[in-house]
Every structure is written in C-alpha cells, then in structure tokens.
Amino acid sequence: MGDHMATLEDVAALSGVSAMTVSRVINNSQKVSAKTIAKVEAVIQELNYRPNLVARGLATNRTSTVGILISYLENPMYSRMVSGVVQTASAYGQDVILGIGYSTESLMKSIDTLLGKQIDGLIVLPIEMRAQSTEQDIARMASFYEKLECVLTEELGGRLPVISTEDYQMTGISGRVRVDYRGGAKTAVKYLYDNGHRKIGMICHDLSDKGIWNERYQGFLEAMEEIGCAVEEKYNCSTVNSVQGGFEAGMKLFSRSELPTAIYCANDIIASGVLKAAITCKLRVPEDISIIGHDGSLYSENTYPRLTTVSICPYEVGEACMEQLYALLNGRPIEKDRIISSELVKGES
C-alpha cells in the first residue's frame, strides 16, 4: 500500500466485512464471531493499521489512559509500585500518564494536568510531604487530601474511578489497595524470636506519626506482647529517615553498656545505617547483633552482610491498583479494601 496510512475502511474492504464490524473488533465488542475476529485481526496486522485513538475516544468517551499521582519517586519502593501499575496497564492495553508533585500546590497542578488529559481513572500512590517537622507534614497532607476530595466530589461528582494506596479517609475514592505494615512488623519480630532472640529493640522514624510509621510501631508492640517479651525503652529509639539517621541511632545504641541481641528497623534505609554502625563498633552481624529491615527495597540488597528484611511487595501493590481500576472501568465489582501481605526475605544479617 506504499506510504498510504491504512484506514478502517481499508481493513473492512480487505476483510470483506463492514466498517462497523471492524470497529466492533477493535473495541472488543461481544457481537462478533471468533472467525470474523481472527480474519479482521489478520488484516489489521497485514496492513499495520493503527486505530485513531483520539477519534475512538470521542466516540466512546474513553481514552484508554489512566493517571498515576505520586510524590517522592526517588524512593525505590514507589518506583516499583509505578512499575507494577505500568506493566499491568500495558497488558490491559491502557496508557499511563504520571503526575508527580512534592507539595500541595504541585500535586494539585498535576491533578489538573491529568484531568486535562481526559484520563479514564486515577491511581493515587503514596504521597510524602517533605517538611521540617512531622506536624507540618501532617498538616500539609491533610490540606492536600481535602483539596483532592473537593475536586473528586464537587467538581467531578464522584464520576472518576479512583484507587488509593493511602489510609486517609475521604469520599470520592472507589477502592483502596493497602500494605499490611503492621503485619509486616509482626513477621519481623516473630522471626527474630524464632531465631532465639528475647532482647529485641526497635529503631523507627517517628513514633508520633499517625500513618505508616505508627502502623509499624504498633505491629512491633503487638508482636512483643504476643511472644511475651518486655519492651525495653533502652533498646528503642526514633531517628531521621535516612542512612545517616540510622547510623547515628545505631552508634548511640551501641555505646550503651547493655545491648539488645536483635533490632527491628522500621525500614531498610534506617537498617542499612544501623548495620554500618554495628560494623563500625566492631560488632559481628549476626553473631553479636541481628538486624532486620522492613520494605524489601534496593537498600537491603546492597548491604554487606545482605540485610534480612520484610518486603512490602511494592510491585504487587501497583499491579493490584491497576487490576482494581480496570475492573471498575469495565463495570465489575471490586474488593473495597484490598490488603497486600508482606513477605520475609532472608539475608545474612
């Protein structure tokens, strides 16, 4: 056919069917026989025909495009979640547009951009605000979610299907996919107990946090109660969420006269810093001190000895978000609250 771009009519003529039938095949209509579908698809391949998605979107009010809202993409956990969404979307024939923001203003601007692209649905992945204090973070988060809720309910009238990974209670959300952080912390503590540890400490980012950090802390407390081990304040501390923060917390802890035999760290970033502190203090890992992380991030793979951790299965979280959204787009019922279980990843620490 030379340089001529194949049209729907070309496909119809070569298949010996009507243009309407070709359109039905492309839109996966139930009204076409398997034999006709096979014939039309063969011609589509032969002519290298690409449907005009813009025209199709106008006809069906669908763009086959979903939006992802995310902040702090530098966190390898969130990158894996995005990857889970994108690869699952691709398998469903959906395109993905990424909206990224680091503040209430930039996140709302991203929402406007996504809505301007006529997305069919939205996935809200974890949102982190980077302020000076936790109180500021919480206030900014609340303000962002209030604004988002306003857009979803008042401007869009709840018509846009939205899947969120956040616990934040708001209307306008169709369903949630959540990580069982509390269960993951319990898995970590019980694994330490099963390995003979009774003096177990914890290093967390912020114990006053109401969100995922608190879930991990509560999981630690619950597990300690269930296994009958006392929570010793001298074995616990909170620190900055960074490798350096973990290192400083470890150095402080290891300078004390009485040490725990094992430490549960609320994430792998902190755990890799604690591991570095143990080695600096000439402690043998895991003989003198055992260290376990939480997340299953790239950090856990790059330590020596390799960190034992509890993976939050971020790829599966992204995958589940897209599965839920695709079901909604096709009028199928979904679990309103889907929980993704954590998995123990054994290293050498």
Side-chain angles (χ1 to χ4, degrees):
M1 303 203 58
D3 292 332
H4 168 66
M5 285 271 290
T7 65
L8 188 108
E9 286 69 24
D10 296 333
V11 174
L14 200 54
S15 313
V17 298
S18 70
M20 188 55 160
T21 302
V22 174
S23 177
R24 282 186 177 146
V25 170
I26 291 164
N27 289 302
N28 300 319
S29 163
Q30 310 302 311
K31 298 173 184 161
V32 189
S33 73
K35 194 175 161 191
T36 305
I37 290 173
K39 188 163 63 176
V40 171
E41 284 183 344
V43 172
I44 285 173
Q45 274 200 301
E46 186 189 335
L47 296 183
N48 198 12
Y49 168 67
R50 294 179 67 177
N52 179 340
L53 295 176
V54 175
R56 179 161 135 201
L58 292 173
T60 61
N61 269 333
R62 283 281 187 88
T63 57
S64 295
T65 304
V66 299
I68 300 179
L69 187 69
I70 183 85
S71 72
Y72 199 49
L73 199 57
E74 293 84 350
N75 183 329
M77 288 290 92
Y78 302 160
S79 313
R80 291 285 297 147
M81 282 183 193
V82 169
S83 180
V85 175
V86 171
Q87 293 192 44
T88 310
S90 169
Y92 288 140
Q94 304 285 308
D95 291 321
V96 172
I97 304 177
L98 210 54
I100 303 176
Y102 296 90
S103 64
T104 304
E105 296 69 38
S106 58
L107 284 163
M108 289 315 295
K109 199 169 167 208
S110 287
I111 290 277
D112 285 344
T113 305
L114 291 172
L115 295 176
K117 303 279 187 196
Q118 306 280 302
I119 52 173
D120 293 336
L122 176 67
I123 292 169
V124 182
L125 292 182
I127 299 294
E128 271 190 35
M129 299 284 188
R130 300 257 139 180
Q132 270 51 58
S133 77
T134 310
E135 281 70 37
Q136 270 179 296
D137 280 354
I138 292 168
R140 290 165 76 203
M141 292 285 282
S143 135
F144 164 67
Y145 281 113
E146 275 164 24
K147 288 192 166 122
L148 178 59
E149 183 173 27
C150 184
V151 170
L152 297 178
T153 55
E154 292 174 26
E155 286 180 41
L156 300 172
R159 287 187 304 274
L160 185 75
V162 181
I163 299 292
S164 171
T165 54
E166 297 287 53
D167 275 350
Y168 216 86
Q169 294 307 314
M170 61 171 168
T171 46
I173 295 286
S174 319
R176 284 190 170 78
V177 174
R178 296 183 307 160
V179 174
D180 185 9
Y181 290 110
R182 190 175 291 218
K186 290 171 85 162
T187 299
V189 173
K190 288 181 173 172
Y191 179 68
L192 293 172
Y193 180 83
D194 292 343
N195 278 278
H197 295 285
R198 300 296 177 264
K199 294 181 178 179
I200 302 169
M202 170 175 186
I203 298 181
C204 189
H205 168 45
D206 183 58
L207 305 182
S208 67
D209 170 73
K210 298 286 180 288
I212 61 175
W213 296 107
N214 190 257
E215 282 294 299
R216 296 172 202 222
Y217 183 52
Q218 293 306 322
F220 169 76
L221 295 178
E222 277 173 31
M224 291 293 275
E225 193 177 330
E226 283 168 27
I227 60 181
C229 285
V231 174
E232 299 276 1
E233 284 310 314
K234 60 178 181 263
Y235 298 154
N236 300 346
C237 62
S238 63
T239 186
V240 183
N241 179 23
S242 67
V243 176
Q244 184 60 24
F247 177 72
E248 285 163 13
M251 292 304 283
K252 195 165 96 183
L253 197 63
F254 302 143
S255 68
R256 294 175 186 164
S257 54
E258 201 191 329
L259 301 185
T261 61
I263 300 173
Y264 159 66
C265 299
N267 72 4
D268 298 335
I269 298 174
I270 291 170
S272 53
V274 175
L275 187 60
K276 187 179 159 197
I279 291 161
T280 306
C281 293
K282 305 281 190 290
L283 291 169
R284 293 168 309 155
V285 181
E287 295 82 359
D288 300 328
I289 185 105
S290 286
I291 297 165
I292 193 165
H294 196 158
D295 274 352
S297 70
L298 291 171
Y299 284 93
S300 66
E301 295 172 26
N302 294 334
T303 60
Y304 180 78
R306 185 180 165 139
L307 194 63
T308 295
T309 184
V310 176
S311 170
I312 64 168
C313 304
Y315 185 89
E316 287 76 6
V317 171
E319 198 172 35
C321 285
M322 190 60 224
E323 277 171 7
Q324 299 279 71
L325 189 59
Y326 192 69
L328 285 172
L329 293 174
N330 289 284
R332 293 200 302 274
I334 61 160
E335 246 178 289
K336 285 282 185 219
D337 232 348
R338 186 151 163 200
I339 309 267
I340 304 295
S341 301
S342 303
E343 276 174 18
L344 186 75
V345 180
K346 293 180 188 176
E348 295 99 38
S349 68

